Amino acid sequence: MTTIKDIARLSGYSIGTISRVLNNHPDVSEETRKKVQEVIEREGYQPNSNAKLLKQRTYSSITILVKGRMNVFFGSIVENIQTLLRENGEEAVVEYIDDFANEVLAAVQICLERRPKGLIFLGGNIEYFRHDFGKIEVPSVLLTNSAAGLGFDNLSSFTTDDTAASQEAIDYLIRAGHTRIGIIGGSANETDEGHIDFQRLAGCEKIFARHKIPFDPALQYQPCRFSLRDGYEAADILLHRDPSLTAIFAMGDIIALGAMRAAVDSGRRIPDDLSLIGYDGIPYARYSIPRLSTIRQDAQNIARRGVEDLLLRINYDRRPVHETVGFRVIAGETVKPLKKAY
Amino acid sequence: MTTIKDIARLSGYSIGTISRVLNNHPDVSEETRKKVQEVIEREGYQPNSNAKLLKQRTYSSITILVKGRMNVFFGSIVENIQTLLRENGEEAVVEYIDDFANEVLAAVQICLERRPKGLIFLGGNIEYFRHDFGKIEVPSVLLTNSAAGLGFDNLSSFTTDDTAASQEAIDYLIRAGHTRIGIIGGSANETDEGHIDFQRLAGCEKIFARHKIPFDPALQYQPCRFSLRDGYEAADILLHRDPSLTAIFAMGDIIALGAMRAAVDSGRRIPDDLSLIGYDGIPYARYSIPRLSTIRQDAQNIARRGVEDLLLRINYDRRPVHETVGFRVIAGETVKPLKKAY
DNA sequence: CTGAAAGCGCTTACAG
DNA sequence: CTGAAAGCGCTTACAG
């Protein structure tokens, strides 16, 4: 194993100088730098990151906390993040957190154990953040949810404007002539008022109100987590509870795909007997039979902005930011225009 | 930041003793152990892993190399692996390698840069392993491909018996009365003879031979990588080249789902006009419309055995092993029984 | 069973 | 611009 000591010996310089070359310090003569570089290349020397980190008293890697397993949409964001981080020479560790678990407390534990230099949350419950994020000191970003109202000085957030996007989804159904609309998704529970899913739900209710279309959450809304199975069950419950529904908005494409299966199993044709619009815009939405109409979030931009901001804040003393990235309505084949009732 | 020194001071013992308690060395008195433990808990002390690894001269984490992005099947294995590793107190870093890139060379580079203590390959090209794996010294496992014939003493492998499973798939179609069968999948290229996909293909050809059913790879086989789009294109090419096909075996469910879309877009009904069987057994196969018939690999067992073996070999001087795990034919709704032609 | 001390491979003031 | 030296937080022979 070649160490910095070997390079020092071989090049005739001291280890201090080698270290300076390694870290691109300006105060090294060009000649020295070149000679040392040559020895480094020839020996294929790679610095020991443990020693470096120990010395710098900074800590290992960046941790990505993914809320909810098997989420295709998050999967693509994770891949984007990993690539971006790697391009910038940063290592990342991924942790999967159960949909119903407290990701902030999990992060606190991880900070104690592994002392990451930054945290990226993929999804999260705003209430958990409000309550426990104060215990976290490292620069962090929350993706796909907004932490704007929380006021933590080490937490940025990048998200689709969920309220606006949900309104678009509902609006899309209404413009197609639907008035009996069900909504599924969001792992809402009693303490969850700031949760993303209530944001989306709130947006929906507003649009219903604007169009003067009655909407009774107790009847027309069914929470569920992000999985095929849960989407299936939620749609099943909803369709039994209110068979008059002509359309469903699912707060995730995975949920929508589960719901599509449930509808078909109940003997409904899509979109003839039931219209369906999803959320996320996963690649499969363009391949399903029929193709899923959905709201496409900009995964790439969310990942890119999140990483850029985190790296800046890890290295400089900057204020966190809260941004919103664009979305698009993708017209698939699962929404049927209805004759207007009037 | 509490360090081992603080715990020593606070407990009245030397740092050597604290270290022994931390690492469960047997030569510490029960009383001492208890007292030290108390202080550790009270202070919420967590050892600095950089210092520990530096001292132990072992290196950071375990690296998981995932071949091919956006592969749902690999995604679930990765999650399983991460969970298992974490339960055993090991950290894991995930790297995504392009489908057509050389994962072994990428691993060599990673070993130089980060010196992981173990490597897990998810998918891989046997030719690349044969040629370059000799440069890798850390304990490694290859999942979903067999490295049995390679004879490296630091490489285990755990895989579905691809030959047998592919034979089952083809056999399933033949028993349903199909004789004009196309095959898609596998990123075969000229140098690829030991590649997984040729294994699967070889298995298929054998079965055709046994049933005395003609099979012309140039006509009936179309390679493609693991993505919806590639599955779509491969099926499209195949169906144009040989419109007489009544069934397709796709070497991955994602490929199969892309193919399903292509078939429908060409005006074929599934399974009435074209039967389809996939490979992997991803959760969505049970939700697609129609439900996908497929060969289910045992992702959980592959992950579990791989991790168990790797951890053992990291810590003990053991020989690598090459195991095969079970698979199951899942009868979905995409294979139609045909009237026998004779 | 426990302590004192060396040393893992680096970085960074401090001199010169 | 460069070197000598201290020290990051641990582990582990070596004594006793």
Side-chain angles (χ1 to χ4, degrees):
Chain A
M1 203 76 286
T2 15
T3 70
I4 198 169
K5 230 186 257 172
D6 300 315
I7 303 300
R9 185 168 39 74
L10 258 25
S11 65
Y13 290 91
S14 73
I15 57 169
T17 300
I18 310 300
S19 174
R20 289 182 195 103
V21 172
L22 249 21
N23 295 286
N24 288 316
H25 283 223
D27 48 354
V28 183
S29 76
E30 255 326 299
E31 194 199 334
T32 305
R33 184 183 303 279
K34 232 172 74 184
K35 282 193 192 161
V36 171
Q37 284 288 17
E38 265 166 29
V39 180
I40 289 176
E41 305 246 319
R42 172 156 53 79
E43 299 296 312
Y45 165 70
Q46 294 282 350
N48 179 317
S49 64
N50 290 132
K52 180 172 178 162
L53 293 171
L54 171 56
K55 188 56 204 172
Q56 291 179 160
R57 320 188 74 225
T58 167
Y59 295 100
S60 54
S61 42
I62 288 169
T63 297
I64 305 172
L65 294 107
V66 183
K67 183 92 187 255
R69 337 191 97 240
M70 299 304 312
N71 183 327
V72 184
F73 178 62
F74 281 173
S76 74
I77 298 190
V78 171
E79 285 185 9
N80 276 317
I81 293 174
Q82 295 255 39
T83 306
L84 291 166
L85 247 22
R86 185 141 177 65
E87 283 171 11
N88 288 283
E90 295 285 357
E91 241 176 72
V93 175
V94 186
E95 289 294 329
Y96 295 93
I97 314 284
D98 186 80
D99 239 340
F100 286 151
N102 185 324
E103 65 282 357
V104 182
L105 255 25
V108 170
Q109 188 58 29
I110 284 168
C111 287
L112 285 174
E113 286 175 12
R114 299 205 302 249
R115 299 172 195 167
K117 56 174 146 180
L119 255 29
I120 298 178
F121 291 88
L122 234 63
N125 183 321
I126 291 301
E127 285 312 308
Y128 294 153
F129 276 79
R130 194 192 309 281
H131 197 262
D132 296 311
F133 189 79
K135 297 172 190 155
I136 292 178
E137 291 176 357
V138 292
S140 306
V141 314
L142 171 59
L143 302 185
T144 75
N145 280 53
S146 173
L150 267 39
F152 292 111
D153 64 0
N154 58 333
L155 180 63
S156 286
S157 63
F158 299 89
T159 177
T160 302
D161 183 340
D162 282 317
T163 311
S166 303
Q167 290 183 346
E168 280 279 335
I170 295 296
D171 204 50
Y172 186 81
L173 294 174
I174 292 176
R175 283 202 315 272
H178 294 274
T179 54
R180 299 295 311 150
I181 298 172
I183 299 177
I184 56 179
S187 43
N189 59 47
E190 307 90 68
T191 64
D192 248 345
E193 311 198 41
H195 195 283
I196 175 174
D197 308 310
F198 273 102
Q199 285 233 18
R200 291 188 192 168
L201 193 57
C204 298
E205 296 193 283
K206 223 159 148 182
I207 280 289
F208 282 125
R210 186 176 312 163
H211 287 272
K212 301 206 169 45
I213 293 175
F215 177 77
D216 175 9
L219 194 64
Q220 300 176 56
Y221 172 62
Q222 179 63 34
C224 74
R225 45 173 131 186
F226 280 80
S227 78
L228 290 163
R229 174 203 281 255
D230 288 70
Y232 186 101
E233 285 171 3
D236 206 42
I237 291 171
L238 208 59
L239 291 171
H240 272 98
R241 202 160 62 201
D242 186 350
S244 75
L245 298 177
T246 63
I248 288 182
F249 166 43
M251 295 185 184
D253 285 347
I254 282 293
I255 297 176
L257 292 169
M260 198 188 291
R261 184 73 247 177
V264 170
D265 285 352
S266 77
R268 291 172 172 83
R269 287 161 306 162
I270 291 192
D272 302 282
D273 301 324
L274 184 74
S275 289
L276 190 60
I277 186 164
Y279 197 95
D280 286 345
I282 63 175
Y284 184 69
R286 294 167 45 206
Y287 289 84
S288 64
I289 300 170
R291 291 183 179 85
L292 182 65
S293 302
T294 187
I295 305 289
R296 180 177 302 152
Q297 299 196 62
D298 190 343
Q300 214 168 334
N301 252 321
I302 291 176
R304 189 179 55 74
R305 291 292 303 128
V307 169
E308 283 173 1
D309 177 74
L310 185 65
L311 295 183
L312 278 171
R313 287 190 300 117
I314 283 175
N315 295 303
Y316 302 93
D317 187 26
R318 287 171 134 248
R319 303 286 317 156
V321 299
H322 301 280
E323 290 178 14
T324 250
V325 308
F327 61 88
R328 278 182 48 196
V329 178
I330 304 293
E333 307 166 337
T334 54
V335 175
K336 181 185 180 177
L338 242 51
K339 287 204 195 75
K340 300 272 177 174
Y342 45 93
Chain B
M1 202 77 287
T2 10
T3 71
I4 197 170
K5 228 185 259 175
D6 301 315
I7 304 300
R9 187 168 37 77
L10 258 27
S11 67
Y13 289 93
S14 72
I15 58 169
T17 299
I18 310 301
S19 174
R20 290 182 195 103
V21 171
L22 249 21
N23 295 285
N24 286 316
H25 283 222
D27 47 354
V28 183
S29 75
E30 254 327 298
E31 195 197 337
T32 305
R33 184 182 304 279
K34 233 172 73 185
K35 281 191 193 161
V36 171
Q37 285 289 18
E38 265 165 29
V39 179
I40 290 177
E41 306 244 320
R42 171 155 53 80
E43 300 297 312
Y45 165 70
Q46 292 283 349
N48 178 317
S49 62
N50 291 132
K52 179 170 178 165
L53 293 171
L54 172 57
K55 188 57 204 172
Q56 289 179 158
R57 321 187 73 225
T58 167
Y59 294 99
S60 53
S61 43
I62 288 170
T63 297
I64 305 173
L65 293 107
V66 183
K67 183 92 186 256
R69 336 191 97 241
M70 300 303 314
N71 185 325
V72 184
F73 178 62
F74 281 174
S76 75
I77 299 189
V78 171
E79 285 185 10
N80 275 317
I81 292 175
Q82 296 254 42
T83 305
L84 291 165
L85 248 22
R86 186 140 175 66
E87 283 171 12
N88 288 282
E90 296 283 358
E91 240 176 74
V93 176
V94 185
E95 289 294 329
Y96 295 92
I97 315 283
D98 185 81
D99 238 341
F100 286 151
N102 186 324
E103 67 280 0
V104 182
L105 255 27
V108 169
Q109 188 57 30
I110 285 168
C111 286
L112 285 174
E113 286 175 12
R114 299 205 303 247
R115 301 177 193 162
K117 56 174 149 181
L119 255 29
I120 299 179
F121 291 88
L122 234 62
N125 182 320
I126 291 301
E127 288 312 308
Y128 293 153
F129 277 79
R130 194 193 308 281
H131 197 260
D132 297 311
F133 189 79
K135 298 171 190 156
I136 291 178
E137 292 176 354
V138 294
S140 306
V141 314
L142 171 60
L143 302 185
T144 74
N145 280 51
S146 174
L150 267 38
F152 292 110
D153 64 1
N154 58 332
L155 181 63
S156 286
S157 63
F158 299 89
T159 177
T160 302
D161 183 340
D162 282 317
T163 312
S166 303
Q167 290 183 347
E168 280 277 336
I170 297 295
D171 204 50
Y172 186 81
L173 293 174
I174 292 177
R175 283 203 315 272
H178 295 275
T179 54
R180 302 295 310 151
I181 298 172
I183 299 178
I184 56 179
S187 42
N189 59 47
E190 306 89 71
T191 64
D192 248 343
E193 310 200 42
H195 195 281
I196 176 174
D197 309 308
F198 273 101
Q199 285 232 17
R200 291 187 192 170
L201 192 58
C204 297
E205 295 193 282
K206 222 160 149 183
I207 281 289
F208 283 124
R210 187 179 308 162
H211 286 273
K212 301 208 170 45
I213 292 174
F215 177 77
D216 176 9
L219 194 65
Q220 300 176 59
Y221 172 62
Q222 179 63 35
C224 75
R225 42 174 132 184
F226 280 79
S227 78
L228 290 163
R229 172 202 283 256
D230 288 71
Y232 186 101
E233 286 170 3
D236 206 42
I237 291 171
L238 207 60
L239 291 172
H240 273 99
R241 201 160 65 202
D242 186 349
S244 75
L245 297 176
T246 63
I248 287 182
F249 166 43
M251 294 184 183
D253 285 346
I254 283 292
I255 298 175
L257 293 169
M260 198 190 292
R261 184 73 246 178
V264 170
D265 284 351
S266 77
R268 290 171 172 84
R269 288 161 305 163
I270 291 190
D272 302 284
D273 303 322
L274 184 75
S275 287
L276 189 61
I277 186 165
Y279 197 95
D280 286 345
I282 63 174
Y284 185 68
R286 293 167 46 208
Y287 287 84
S288 64
I289 298 170
R291 290 183 179 86
L292 183 65
S293 302
T294 188
I295 306 290
R296 177 177 304 153
Q297 298 196 63
D298 191 342
Q300 213 168 333
N301 252 320
I302 291 176
R304 190 180 52 75
R305 292 291 303 131
V307 169
E308 283 174 1
D309 176 74
L310 185 65
L311 294 182
L312 279 170
R313 287 190 299 117
I314 283 174
N315 295 303
Y316 302 94
D317 187 27
R318 286 170 136 249
R319 304 285 318 156
V321 299
H322 301 280
E323 289 179 14
T324 251
V325 309
F327 61 88
R328 277 181 50 195
V329 179
I330 304 294
E333 307 166 336
T334 55
V335 174
K336 181 185 179 178
L338 242 49
K339 286 205 195 73
K340 300 274 178 170
Y342 43 92

